[in-house]
Amino acid sequence: ISTVSFGKDNPLCTTNDSACWARNRRVDFVYSGGYNG
């Protein structure tokens, strides 16, 4: 498991208001692997 912070590099919204800031405070999960059990 690894984490990557996109910060200001990859915002969902660029409007300068609290609703937009709330949309940008998010967590994106990307699964890239397999199970070899």
Side-chain angles (χ1 to χ4, degrees), residues 8-35:
K8 295 180 181 180
D9 295 334
N10 193 16
L12 285 177
C13 181
T14 57
T15 307
N16 193 16
D17 62 11
S18 60
C20 182
W21 298 332
R23 287 190 67 200
N24 287 331
R25 286 189 302 267
R26 69 188 195 280
V27 175
D28 294 335
F29 291 95
V30 177
Y31 178 76
S32 60
Y35 176 71

